[in-house]
């Protein structure tokens, strides 16, 4: 799956919600060269629409210039369609298929190949783990562990640059007369992804500083949600990732049902309001 093509597919206007859904499914299966070869039936099953509807929308995407269709014969004479997304210019002379190979074609195929899973690009593994200095935070060892738990819960990386940046903001709050415990109490209650001194000031002016009991309940709720999220099916996890990265409105325009989007809201914003959390701020969308 190419995340770049997924973003481009969601942003492009095609004039029909089902056509947009078919385009997103092709982007989900495509490699980084924009190529894939799923069958009509596979696309129909995944999108929950008819096979003839899939064929029609693929033809319309080809006519609109968003898709190129290439027909290739397999080793036994049966053919397969290779789809090349043309949302952006593709590297010249690139086919994504080795010169002596052809896309996989089943022995009983009647004209299209079956790709059951999206292409997964290999990830490079880091050979050296970065040694981090947490002293800029000005925290005790126990408070550093609390900081790590906050970042993990927000699914945010911890780098030296992040530590240094947040440390400067923490210094401003401490200079204003607040303790580390008070800072962490507010941070936990707000479930911020990061930290800024002004966020703390705004939060305390509106709601005061929460108690440790409130924080304990917040953690228990967060842990329950994390467990529930881990049990979601693959389709729900894909939709949840899309909501977090692109927002509810884009997903609705892409063809996802409003019921599914609403059902997954609680994993994006525990308060239950519509929106997506970005760097600790909830951008609320209309119901």
């Amino acid at each position: 799956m190419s995340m770049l093509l997924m973003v481009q597919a969601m942003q492009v206007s095609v004039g029909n919600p089902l056509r947009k859904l078919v385009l997103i499914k092709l982007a989900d299966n495509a490699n980084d060269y924009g190529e894939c070869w799923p069958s009509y039936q596979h696309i129909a099953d995944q999108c929950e629409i008819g096979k003839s509807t899939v064929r029609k929308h693929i033809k319309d995407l080809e006519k609109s210039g968003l898709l190129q269709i290439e027909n290739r014969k397999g080793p036994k004479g049966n053919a397969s369609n290779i789809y090349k997304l043309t949302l952006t210019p593709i590297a010249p002379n690139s086919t994504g298929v080795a010169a002596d190979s052809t896309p996989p074609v089943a022995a009983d195929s009647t004209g299209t190949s079956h790709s059951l899973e999206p292409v997964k690009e290999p990830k490079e593994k880091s050979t050296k783990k970065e040694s981090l200095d947490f002293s800029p935070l000005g925290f005790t060892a126990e408070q550093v562990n609390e900081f790590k738990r906050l970042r993990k819960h927000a699914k945010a990386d911890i780098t030296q640059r992040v530590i240094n940046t947040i440390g400067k903001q923490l210094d401003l709050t401490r200079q204003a007369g607040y303790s580390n415990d008070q800072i962490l109490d507010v941070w936990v209650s707000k479930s911020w992804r990061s930290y800024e001194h002004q966020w703390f000031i705004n939060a305390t002016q509106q709601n005061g500083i929460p108690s440790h009991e409130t924080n304990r309940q917040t953690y228990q709720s967060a842990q329950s949600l994390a467990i529930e999220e881990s049990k979601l099916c693959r389709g729900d996890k894909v939709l949840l990732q899309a909501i977090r990265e692109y927002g509810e409105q884009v997903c609705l325009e892409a063809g996802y049902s409003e019921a599914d989007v609403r059902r997954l809201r609680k994993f994006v914003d525990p308060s239950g309001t519509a929106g997506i959390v970005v760097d600790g701020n909830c951008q609320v969308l209309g119901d």
Side-chain angles (χ1 to χ4, degrees):
M1 176 177 67
S2 170
M3 290 305 299
L4 176 60
L5 286 174
M6 286 288 287
V7 173
Q8 293 168 345
M10 286 186 174
Q11 293 177 341
V12 70
S13 176
V14 299
N16 183 284
L18 292 181
R19 195 173 305 144
K20 170 68 80 64
L21 185 59
V22 170
L23 179 62
I24 291 173
K25 176 56 188 170
L26 291 172
D28 180 50
N29 276 68
N31 58 22
D32 284 341
Y33 295 103
E35 297 176 345
C36 61
W37 42 87
S39 67
Y40 290 131
Q41 189 60 56
H42 176 67
I43 298 173
D45 291 342
Q46 294 290 302
C47 297
E48 299 184 16
I49 57 179
K51 186 176 176 180
S52 60
T53 303
V54 171
R55 187 180 289 108
K56 174 183 179 300
H57 287 307
I58 285 180
K59 284 294 183 183
D60 290 338
L61 289 171
E62 182 184 26
K63 290 178 182 179
S64 64
L66 297 173
L67 182 69
Q68 294 177 3
I69 303 176
E70 179 181 351
N71 187 267
R72 289 193 175 187
K73 289 187 177 181
K76 296 185 179 180
N78 44 354
S80 63
N81 287 336
I82 296 181
Y83 305 109
K84 180 181 292 185
L85 298 179
T86 53
L87 305 177
T88 58
I90 299 173
N93 301 325
S94 170
T95 64
V97 180
D100 59 348
S101 68
T102 58
V105 180
D108 59 349
S109 172
T110 57
T112 56
S113 64
H114 296 260
S115 174
L116 299 181
E117 295 294 337
V119 176
K120 295 182 179 179
E121 301 297 332
K123 296 181 179 179
E124 295 183 2
K125 294 184 178 180
S126 176
T127 57
K128 185 177 180 181
K129 190 174 181 180
E130 182 182 5
S131 179
L132 300 175
D133 176 18
F134 290 92
S135 61
L137 297 176
F139 284 162
T140 64
E142 182 178 353
Q143 290 166 345
V144 167
N145 290 333
E146 185 91 347
F147 166 77
K148 291 178 180 179
R149 285 194 294 269
L150 285 167
R151 295 291 290 183
K152 182 178 180 180
H153 172 64
K155 297 183 179 180
D157 293 334
I158 299 178
T159 65
Q160 194 60 55
R161 181 178 179 181
V162 167
I163 292 172
N164 295 341
T165 301
I166 292 179
K168 293 177 181 178
Q169 295 296 317
L170 291 170
D171 285 340
L172 293 175
T173 308
R174 283 189 289 262
Q175 290 170 11
Y178 296 95
S179 68
N180 286 339
D181 286 337
Q182 290 174 318
I183 292 171
L184 288 171
D185 283 342
V186 175
W187 195 339
V188 169
S189 69
K190 293 297 183 182
S191 299
W192 288 327
R193 179 183 177 90
S194 186
Y195 180 85
E196 287 189 14
H197 171 63
Q198 193 58 50
W199 296 353
F200 178 90
I201 297 301
N202 293 342
T204 53
Q205 287 177 346
Q206 293 174 358
N207 307 312
I209 298 177
S211 66
H212 285 287
E213 175 62 21
T214 300
N215 286 342
R216 186 183 67 81
Q217 294 173 355
T218 300
Y219 265 126
Q220 289 177 341
S221 176
Q223 289 170 351
S224 297
L225 279 176
I227 294 173
E228 188 175 349
E229 181 178 341
S230 68
K231 296 179 180 179
L232 292 175
C233 67
R234 181 177 180 274
D236 281 348
K237 289 181 178 179
V238 170
L239 174 55
L240 180 57
Q241 180 182 354
I243 293 173
R244 283 174 171 155
E245 294 190 16
Y246 313 118
E248 287 188 356
Q249 192 61 39
V250 172
C251 294
L252 291 172
E253 291 174 356
Y256 287 105
S257 73
E258 184 176 354
D260 285 340
V261 171
R262 287 181 177 274
R263 179 168 52 82
L264 297 176
R265 271 184 188 165
K266 62 183 178 181
F267 299 107
V268 180
D269 176 16
S271 68
T273 58
I276 178 169
V277 176
V278 179
D279 289 335
N281 299 316
C282 181
Q283 301 174 355
V284 179
L285 301 175
D287 288 335

